[in-house]
């Protein structure tokens, strides 16, 4: 099972760099960069030192660590955790993450499937022993999976290069430490970087933070050596509350001031848990299976620091909060629009690399039954008429030329199977295929042909991972490929792809999208129209092997033989067919959009399929929803990434 501490958020694809906002003299030599402590505005996803992963293109087996990782009060940049480390959770710890009803259902299923390691049941699609032996021989002779080496951007590396250009070179990472502010890779905002041997020369007057509290009452464990901060040195202010439609998932935006201590976002987490009886939203150290934001939502927005050896000090404050916090905090003026961007989507609206995202996400944004998606200059509104209509941005804002409307049931799992079509509500009609960008990759969407547009916007983080981590040696099997968005993202990075889907019309969009992205080597990209279960069996018989196999099925479907299939009933069988085709060290992606399926229950279904196939695997990553899909309670879409041994 996955290590919460290793579940770092991804760096935005749009280039966002740190910025030095202040510095104080702490050493004797005024002309040397090593004599200063720096206040740096750290973007989301940047670590202090950088990724600790080795720069290798072949997957390596990650080491297993224990959940209770101790952290120093002054962050030692040499001990930042490897992104691919794993966690062992025992049964008792898992049960603590579930409700009594979910526990009863899970135990009943375990009893029903107690023969999982015995012979396959009648009617199972599992291969014969002879076929299994053939595949095992193929696996043993296959090279390990190949991915692009990825190094997380480093604050200290950036600082060293920046100061070198200014003619003030500094020493490397081992000489420095983070003493206050946004010291964790997932945190954002101000951080103080100081030479290790000069930490005693600085005094923190105060540090101010803003945090989103409301994590389903799931709290992170307190580090064993955590520093106790006296109450008289802290101040908590409630900046905003989000309660509408959230009886079991209320959210508070709080401001916190910590005086006269070397505080970090870890201290903010503990103080909020102790005084507000709830965790920080998105804190995967509290519950990695129920991650309600892409990261731990804490931002350091002000710091005042003084030198104890020189008459020098600095006081810095930032005015803007990141989108993922603003989406909960920016709810004044009756949810009013500002320059066409709604509720914390400002960074997306201004990002030239992404022109498709969700403007309004129904009840989570305060408007049940009302979702608004942007596809470049057109909006697509989906409305459940059991609820009143919500607001819309004006088509006169310079960013919107037309609005399409469809009265539909809010269920991603049935998209594409209804005869309903969107109609033009206002403005100019869209072309038959609308080119949209997402993290620099171009896709084609339709607004009035089907209920499905051809790209599921809630999978943006997964597609970004593919464009960042694939290379020309990576081979992808994309099952239930739809219009091939996963395949396009991987192909853009150089990977070869095989896309399977039961709908030929959707698959026919893939070649044109490849050409739009400059991918012309057609012999590296295949598309197969047919039942995924049948084709998985055929591909396995051939001994086909892939670096990544993606399983993103609809909640329910009907195959070519009119057999009704559902995630809740058949996911284990699907995994057992797909897993043997993953190369050693490769990844099996399992996704479900079933909102009623608990993530731990879904994980156990996948684990059952792995056991049936005789495959050893670790759950390496649980990917959250993107920031423009805020939710209420457990996220409806579950994305689990398994590393195959």
């Amino acid at each position: 099972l996955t290590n919460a501490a290793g579940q770092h958020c991804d760096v935005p694809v749009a280039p966002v760099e740190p910025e030095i906002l202040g510095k104080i003299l702490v050493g004797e030599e005024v002309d040397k960069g090593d004599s200063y402590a720096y206040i740096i505005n750290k973007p989301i996803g940047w670590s202090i030192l950088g990724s600790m992963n080795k720069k290798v293109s072949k997957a390596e087996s990650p080491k297993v660590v224990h959940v209770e990782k101790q952290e120093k009060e002054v962050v030692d940049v040499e001990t930042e955790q490897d992104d691919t480390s794993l966690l062992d959770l025992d049964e008792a710890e898992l049960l603590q993450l579930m409700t009594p009803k979910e526990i009863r259902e899970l135990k009943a299923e375990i009893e029903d499937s107690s023969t999982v390691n015995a012979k396959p049941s009648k009617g199972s699609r599992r291969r014969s022993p002879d076929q299994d032996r053939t595949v095992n021989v193929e696996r043993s002779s296959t090279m390990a999976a190949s991915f692009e080496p990825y190094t997380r951007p480093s604050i200290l590396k950036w600082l060293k290069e920046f100061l070198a250009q200014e003619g003030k070179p500094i020493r490397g990472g081992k000489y420095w430490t983070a003493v206050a502010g946004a010291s964790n890779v997932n945190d954002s905002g101000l951080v103080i970087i100081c030479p290790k041997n000069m930490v005693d020369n600085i005094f923190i007057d105060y540090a101010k933070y803003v945090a989103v509290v409301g994590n389903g009452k799931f709290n992170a464990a307190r580090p064993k050596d955590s520093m106790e901060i006296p109450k008289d040195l802290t101040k908590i202010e409630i900046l905003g509350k989000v309660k509408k439609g959230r009886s079991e998932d209320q959210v508070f935006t709080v401001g916190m001031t910590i005086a006269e201590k070397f505080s970090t976002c870890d201290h903010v987490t503990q103080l909020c848990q102790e005084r507000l009886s709830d965790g920080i939203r998105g804190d995967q150290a509290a519950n990695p299976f129920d991650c309600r934001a892409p990261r731990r939502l804490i931002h350091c927005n002000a710091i005042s620091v003084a030198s104890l050896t020189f008459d020098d000090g600095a006081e810095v404050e930032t005015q803007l909060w990141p989108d993922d916090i603003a989406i909960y905090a920016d709810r004044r003026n009756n949810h009013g629009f500002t320059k066409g961007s709604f509720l914390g989507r400002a960074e997306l609206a201004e990002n030239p690399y992404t022109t498709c995202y969700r403007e309004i996400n129904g009840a989570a944004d305060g408007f049940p039954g009302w979702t608004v998606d942007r596809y470049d200059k057109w909006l697509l509104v989906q409305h459940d008429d059991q609820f009143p209509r919500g607001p819309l941005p004006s088509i006169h804002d310079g960013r919107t030329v037309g609005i399409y409307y469809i009265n539909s049931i809010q269920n991603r799992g049935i998209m594409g199977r209804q005869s309903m079509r969107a109609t033009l509500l206002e403005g100019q009609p869209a072309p038959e295929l609308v080119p949209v960008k997402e993290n620099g990759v171009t896709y084609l969407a339709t607004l009035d042909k089907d209920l499905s547009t051809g790209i599921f916007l809630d999978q943006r983080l997964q597609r970004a991972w593919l464009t960042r981590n694939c290379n020309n040696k990576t081979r992808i099997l994309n099952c239930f490929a739809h219009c091939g968005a996963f395949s396009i993202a991987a192909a853009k990075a150089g990977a070869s792809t095989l896309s399977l889907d039961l709908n030929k019309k959707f698959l026919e969009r893939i070649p044109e999208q490849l050409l739009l992205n400059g991918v012309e080597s057609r012999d590296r990209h295949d598309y197969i129209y047919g039942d995924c279960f049948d084709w998985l069996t055929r591909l396995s018989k051939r001994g086909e092997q892939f670096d990544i196999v993606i399983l993103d099925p609809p909640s329910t479907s009907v195959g070519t033989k009119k057999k009704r299939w559902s995630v809740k009933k058949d996911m284990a069988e699907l995994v057992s067919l797909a897993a043997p085709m993953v190369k050693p060290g490769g990844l099996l992606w399992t996704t479900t959009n079933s909102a009623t399926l608990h993530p731990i229950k879904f994980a156990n279904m996948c684990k059952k399929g792995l056991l049936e196939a005789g495959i050893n695997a670790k759950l390496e990553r649980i990917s959250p929803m993107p920031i423009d899909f805020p939710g209420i309670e457990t996220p409806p879409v579950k994305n689990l990434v398994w590393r195959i041994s």
Side-chain angles (χ1 to χ4, degrees), residues 251-295:
V251 176
F252 301 84
T253 305
V254 303
M256 179 175 291
T257 302
I258 302 177
E260 302 178 9
K261 291 291 182 181
F262 286 2
S263 65
T264 68
C265 294
D266 290 335
H267 297 107
V268 176
T269 297
Q270 294 302 320
L271 289 168
C272 286
Q273 291 180 171
E274 291 168 6
R275 302 187 190 181
L276 300 175
S277 302
D278 204 346
I280 302 297
R281 199 164 190 84
D283 189 353
Q284 291 185 319
N287 184 354
F289 288 95
D290 188 356
C291 191
R292 304 185 183 194
R295 67 177 182 108

Side-chain angles (χ1 to χ4, degrees), residues 7-18 42-48 50-51 83 150-155 184-188 294-295 324 347-348 351 353-354 439-440 460-469 621 624 627:
Q7 298 297 289
H8 302 322
C9 64
D10 291 325
V11 180
V13 173
V16 180
E17 288 202 342
K42 185 184 86 68
I44 296 168
W46 283 62
S47 68
I48 303 303
S51 175
D83 292 347
Y150 172 65
T151 302
R152 187 170 295 282
S154 161
I155 290 293
N184 188 284
V185 63
N186 286 335
D187 304 329
S188 61
R295 67 177 182 108
D324 52 9
E347 293 171 15
L348 283 167
N351 183 353
Y353 298 91
T354 297
N439 293 321
R460 184 171 67 246
L461 300 183
Q462 281 60 258
R463 289 187 288 269
W465 190 96
L466 290 170
T467 59
R468 177 175 283 145
N469 291 278
R621 183 178 174 90
I627 63 172

Side-chain angles (χ1 to χ4, degrees), residues 345-363:
R345 273 79 170 184
E347 293 171 15
L348 283 167
E350 296 168 4
N351 183 353
Y353 298 91
T354 297
T355 61
C356 55
Y357 55 91
R358 179 149 291 184
E359 292 266 17
I360 304 175
N361 195 40

Side-chain angles (χ1 to χ4, degrees), residues 204-219:
I204 307 295
D205 295 312
Y206 64 80
K208 294 183 178 180
Y209 303 85
V210 60
V212 179
V213 179
N215 200 41
K217 303 297 182 181
F218 293 112
N219 293 341

Side-chain angles (χ1 to χ4, degrees), residues 33-213:
D34 289 334
S35 294
Y36 292 84
Y38 298 88
I39 303 177
I40 298 175
N41 193 20
K42 185 184 86 68
I44 296 168
W46 283 62
S47 68
I48 303 303
L49 179 62
S51 175
M52 298 296 290
N53 293 338
K54 298 176 183 178
K55 290 189 177 182
V56 294
S57 59
K58 293 182 180 180
E60 296 182 354
S61 298
K63 66 177 183 179
V64 179
V65 299
H66 193 267
V67 60
E68 294 180 344
K69 174 182 177 290
Q70 295 186 2
E71 297 180 359
K72 297 182 179 180
E73 293 303 323
V74 177
V75 179
D76 188 342
V77 295
E78 296 179 71
T79 62
E80 287 187 316
Q81 191 163 0
D82 192 304
D83 292 347
T84 59
S85 57
L86 299 173
L87 162 71
D88 287 327
L89 289 178
D90 59 28
E91 181 181 355
E93 290 170 316
L94 280 176
L95 295 180
Q96 288 178 359
L97 305 180
M98 305 179 72
T99 66
K101 180 180 178 183
E102 291 165 347
I103 292 173
R104 289 194 297 271
E105 292 176 350
L106 180 61
K107 288 184 175 180
E109 287 194 2
I110 292 174
E111 291 175 0
D112 291 341
S113 60
S114 57
T115 58
V116 66
N117 290 316
K119 295 180 179 179
S121 59
K122 186 177 181 180
S124 170
R125 298 179 188 236
R126 186 176 177 183
R127 288 171 299 281
S128 68
D130 289 340
Q131 292 169 331
D132 280 343
R133 282 195 294 272
T134 302
V135 173
N136 286 336
V137 171
E138 181 69 26
R139 285 176 60 83
S140 65
S141 61
T142 303
M143 292 183 63
S146 176
F147 303 105
E148 188 68 15
Y150 172 65
T151 302
R152 187 170 295 282
S154 161
I155 290 293
L156 286 171
K157 181 180 179 182
W158 171 87
L159 179 64
K160 187 175 181 179
E161 293 174 353
F162 180 86
L163 292 177
Q165 294 174 1
E166 299 286 317
K168 296 182 179 180
I170 62 173
R171 298 185 223 182
K174 294 182 179 181
Y175 182 72
W176 299 84
T177 190
V179 297
S183 62
N184 188 284
V185 63
N186 286 335
D187 304 329
S188 61
L190 304 177
V191 60
I192 298 179
I193 305 296
C194 180
K196 286 183 179 179
N197 62 349
M198 301 179 190
V199 170
D200 292 338
N201 296 349
I202 66 174
F203 177 79
I204 307 295
D205 295 312
Y206 64 80
K208 294 183 178 180
Y209 303 85
V210 60
V212 179
V213 179

Side-chain angles (χ1 to χ4, degrees), residues 156 330 460 472 584 612 637:
L156 286 171
D330 239 3
R460 184 171 67 246
N472 59 8
E612 287 181 347
V637 179

